[in-house]
Amino acid sequence: MLNENELSELIKGSRENEYCEFKEAYCNFNNEKLFESCVAISNVKGGFLIFGVTDKKPRRIIGTNAYQNINKIKKSIYDSIKLRINIVEYYLDGKRILVFEIPCHMPGRYNNYNGKFLTRCGESTEAMSWDDLNDEFKKQTPDFSALNISDANIDDLDEQSIDYFISKWTAKENGINKNLSKKQLLTDAGLINNNNITYASLIMMGKEKSIQKLLGHSETIFEYRSEKSRIEPDKRIEFKKGFLGYLEEICNVIELYNKKQQIRGDNLFITEIPTFRMNVIREALLNAFCHRDYRDGNSINIKLTSSSLDIISPGGLPEGIDIDNIIDQTNPRNRLIAESLQKCGLVERAGQGYDMMWKSLLKDSKNGPDLSNTTSNQVHLSIQGHVLDPNFIQYIDQLTNFDISIHELITLWHICTGQQIKKNHCNTDTIKSLKQKRLIENIGYGKGTKYILSREYYVTANKRGEYSRNKGLPDAENKLLILQHIKDHGQGKMQDFEQLLQNINRTHIQTLLRQLKIEGKIKHVGSNKTGMWIIC
């Protein structure tokens, strides 16, 4: 932002042009014209909109009473055109001046207001031509993070963040000449190209001042609420520099509120489990930093409570990725950032992060990462910290000798907690493998088949009675119950048998009835819908 001397020189010397527009705005100003001016200046190279100064030379400072509530108009601008505008009050000659600092548009994406793409042409605001729009759209690239930033260099990067990246990289990979200059090392890493820094290097290592100038909306906002229903956060922090410069700080802040849970299982074992594992938190944060859409004007929002963590990042899931295939498919939106994080060992190979989060959460008997609130405009990751079944923790510990895939582990968890088994995690091969390993057992036949965990789980949990109840009686005994019911009441219908045999499904009951019919012990009389079974 300008200092007072620079502002005075700008008022005295510069004529109004594409990058600087003066408005008298003595009493107030029309919001629509304000939004249009911000869009137009942004769609050239960014610049300044100055209120309280005449636009014709020699310029006079007359002062302005417009927009007394600066935070309110900032929000209105953002809500209308998705631009984060810095607004500062100055007092020159005792008169109030407002300066709007407007960032440049993102490469490949011009800003608009109500569908109108505007630009500055000399001293006037004009509609953009199709040729201009088309030329800019051609600049779009699958990897925004690999684009060079014109007029930016290594001086825009934070020294400590550079050292952090290089130390991690050289520690992970042998053969890197540590005596090379930092600029050469970053060039070798692909983060500097032809003396220009890339968006990847700025996003990871940028100074706060440089990011505010070049990519102001890439900030991360952290909020903690002791209760989820609270409107105002107990703590709020805005992080505005490159994310390598504050990754550890966010993790440390979360750790401050990270309580230990004392878990007692039914067999009286006691253990302590943190509400949030730091490996899960770190991976979730790095996923948000790596895969968010940096062309989008929104920020990353981190919302923490005593038992839940929500990370909301701009842009939907990358093309070809959805909440059903995210474990098995990968398509990094910012490939250079992803590769750089792999270089310095902060993430493993692409696609492993979500897998790791699932495994870590399930081993703590917690639901896996939830993306159900994700939309086409944002990825919403929710992590719950509650331990749901302490006995599952010890059960999983006993499976170390089994080669269990992530989909098998998720299927075991859904069976244990009674959740619907999802097709994207559980297919015929998954069930077959779990049965061969004797980790699950089935109850019933056909479409109504249900699954329970193997007897070993119930023994571990000291729930032998529950296992017997879930497993039910042998078929021979179930058939005796059916015969006894028909003898006692002279007849029997399906609804009677379902009440009698609650642990098995309708398909299984129908199988037992057919077997009794073949054995010549019962027969069916009447129609299929209203008929009944009687003793032969």
Side-chain angles (χ1 to χ4, degrees):
M1 179 52 73
L2 303 168
N3 59 42
E4 288 192 3
N5 289 333
E6 291 170 331
L7 176 58
S8 297
E9 289 302 314
L10 192 61
I11 293 172
K12 290 177 184 177
S14 175
R15 66 182 180 85
E16 189 175 72
N17 56 31
E18 288 94 340
Y19 317 117
C20 184
E21 186 176 359
F22 297 92
K23 299 289 184 185
E24 294 185 11
Y26 180 71
C27 293
N28 49 42
F29 196 76
N30 180 278
N31 278 3
E32 289 202 357
K33 291 188 179 298
L34 171 64
F35 301 151
E36 289 178 355
S37 292
C38 290
V39 164
I41 293 173
S42 173
N43 283 341
V44 279
K45 290 188 177 180
F48 301 98
L49 178 61
I50 301 173
F51 281 13
V53 179
T54 59
D55 60 348
K56 301 295 183 184
K57 293 186 71 174
R59 251 175 234 110
R60 292 180 298 110
I61 298 174
I62 62 173
T64 179
N65 290 314
Y67 304 124
Q68 295 291 329
N69 189 331
I70 290 178
N71 287 329
K72 182 178 179 181
I73 191 57
K74 277 185 180 181
K75 185 176 186 305
S76 294
I77 293 171
Y78 181 77
D79 289 343
S80 299
I81 58 177
K82 300 303 180 189
L83 273 177
R84 294 188 182 277
I85 306 295
N86 195 19
I87 306 174
V88 178
E89 282 183 324
Y90 294 86
Y91 286 87
L92 298 182
D93 300 335
K95 297 173 182 177
R96 177 176 178 262
I97 295 175
L98 275 187
V99 177
F100 297 73
E101 183 182 19
I102 302 164
C104 178
H105 68 94
M106 300 298 294
R109 177 174 291 182
Y110 277 125
N111 296 304
N112 74 89
Y113 173 59
N114 283 343
K116 293 187 291 186
F117 291 87
L118 304 168
T119 189
R120 292 281 292 171
C121 184
E123 298 181 5
S124 62
T125 296
E126 305 284 350
M128 296 187 71
S129 69
W130 172 248
D131 287 340
D132 288 338
L133 288 170
N134 198 35
D135 287 344
E136 191 64 25
F137 294 153
K138 287 178 181 177
K139 297 177 184 177
Q140 292 187 13
T141 172
D143 185 10
F144 168 78
S145 68
L147 290 174
N148 290 349
I149 308 175
S150 60
D151 303 324
N153 54 50
I154 195 171
D155 292 334
D156 290 292
L157 304 182
D158 176 68
E159 197 76 20
Q160 288 184 328
S161 297
I162 295 174
D163 291 341
Y164 179 81
F165 173 81
I166 291 175
S167 66
K168 289 280 187 181
W169 183 27
T170 53
K172 180 176 181 289
E173 296 189 19
N174 295 324
I176 298 174
N177 186 350
K178 299 179 183 180
N179 296 322
L180 294 175
S181 68
K182 294 177 183 179
K183 182 177 180 180
Q184 185 59 53
L185 285 167
L186 293 180
T187 301
D188 292 345
L191 293 168
I192 292 181
N193 187 18
N194 294 328
N195 293 320
N196 291 122
I197 63 171
T198 59
Y199 276 103
S201 57
L202 180 73
I203 290 164
M204 291 195 298
M205 296 173 277
K207 294 177 180 176
E208 181 175 331
K209 181 179 179 181
S210 298
I211 287 188
Q212 288 298 293
K213 175 184 175 183
L214 300 167
L215 199 66
H217 58 265
S218 68
E219 65 187 0
T220 297
I221 299 171
F222 170 87
E223 292 181 345
Y224 170 74
R225 289 173 173 81
S226 53
E227 298 292 338
K228 205 164 189 175
S229 58
R230 284 179 61 90
I231 297 175
E232 293 297 323
D234 297 284
K235 189 176 187 64
R236 176 186 168 92
I237 308 174
E238 295 184 3
F239 299 94
K240 298 186 177 183
K241 58 184 177 181
F243 68 76
L244 290 184
Y246 61 80
L247 174 63
E248 297 300 328
E249 186 177 351
I250 290 183
C251 291
N252 291 338
V253 171
I254 292 174
E255 188 64 31
L256 288 175
Y257 303 104
N258 195 11
K259 296 180 180 178
K260 300 282 187 181
Q261 301 178 57
Q262 273 208 341
I263 305 302
R264 182 189 298 270
D266 288 341
N267 60 359
L268 302 182
F269 86 93
I270 299 176
T271 188
E272 277 196 341
I273 291 179
T275 302
F276 304 108
R277 296 276 185 190
M278 275 302 113
N279 64 328
V280 173
I281 300 305
R282 186 181 295 270
E283 190 64 40
L285 291 171
L286 288 169
N287 270 346
F289 297 143
C290 185
H291 300 300
R292 70 153 285 183
D293 186 353
Y294 286 96
R295 298 169 187 265
D296 191 302
N298 291 293
S299 306
I300 292 175
N301 285 278
I302 301 171
K303 299 181 179 181
L304 177 70
T305 72
S306 59
S307 61
S308 66
L309 176 73
D310 290 86
I311 301 177
I312 305 162
S313 52
L317 292 167
E319 186 176 352
I321 307 297
D322 57 41
I323 61 176
D324 290 329
N325 68 12
I326 192 168
I327 289 179
D328 302 307
Q329 301 295 326
T330 180
N331 181 22
R333 175 176 275 123
N334 300 293
R335 189 171 296 277
L336 181 55
I337 293 178
E339 291 172 352
S340 300
L341 292 178
Q342 285 180 249
K343 277 188 174 75
C344 62
L346 287 174
V347 300
E348 296 299 324
R349 64 172 176 82
Q352 272 192 333
Y354 204 69
D355 184 316
M356 182 279 292
M357 284 192 280
W358 262 106
K359 287 180 179 177
S360 183
L361 287 165
L362 293 187
K363 286 180 180 179
D364 280 347
S365 186
K366 300 171 184 176
N367 276 324
D370 180 11
L371 288 170
S372 59
N373 290 320
T374 292
T375 68
S376 59
N377 298 318
Q378 64 180 28
V379 174
H380 188 146
L381 173 66
S382 183
I383 296 171
Q384 300 300 315
H386 291 301
V387 174
L388 299 181
D389 183 356
N391 299 297
F392 191 77
I393 299 170
Q394 193 172 17
Y395 175 66
I396 290 297
D397 283 344
Q398 295 175 354
L399 303 182
T400 53
N401 294 329
F402 291 90
D403 181 17
I404 299 179
S405 72
I406 181 61
H407 293 295
E408 289 175 343
L409 184 59
I410 293 171
T411 299
L412 288 175
W413 174 247
H414 286 162
I415 291 172
C416 176
T417 54
Q419 298 181 54
Q420 181 180 0
I421 300 176
K422 298 181 180 179
K423 292 182 180 179
N424 56 302
H425 297 305
C426 180
N427 54 30
T428 304
D429 290 337
T430 304
I431 291 295
K432 183 179 179 181
S433 175
L434 289 173
K435 290 178 71 174
Q436 287 176 341
K437 295 170 183 175
R438 298 185 179 181
L439 296 177
I440 62 173
E441 300 175 23
N442 64 285
I443 302 172
Y445 304 98
K447 293 182 179 179
T449 301
K450 293 193 299 185
Y451 297 96
I452 62 172
L453 296 183
S454 63
R455 181 177 174 275
E456 284 71 17
Y457 165 75
Y458 295 92
V459 171
T460 299
N462 196 25
K463 293 181 178 181
R464 294 173 177 82
E466 185 177 330
Y467 170 79
S468 297
R469 185 178 71 249
N470 288 336
K471 188 68 174 175
L473 295 171
D475 282 354
E477 295 186 39
N478 285 325
K479 287 194 286 187
L480 287 175
L481 284 174
I482 291 173
L483 285 171
Q484 188 62 48
H485 175 86
I486 297 174
K487 289 176 182 178
D488 289 344
H489 299 281
Q491 64 177 36
K493 295 185 177 182
M494 178 57 71
Q495 63 194 49
D496 301 325
F497 303 138
E498 286 180 321
Q499 292 175 9
L500 178 68
L501 306 172
Q502 294 182 8
N503 286 329
I504 61 178
N505 58 60
R506 177 180 283 249
T507 303
H508 192 172
I509 293 172
Q510 289 172 336
T511 300
L512 298 178
L513 291 170
R514 283 196 298 271
Q515 290 175 357
L516 287 169
K517 181 181 177 180
I518 292 170
E519 293 168 9
K521 295 177 180 177
I522 63 174
K523 64 180 179 180
H524 189 266
V525 296
S527 68
N528 289 334
K529 288 187 177 180
T530 60
M532 64 192 73
W533 293 89
I534 61 173
I535 299 293
C536 289

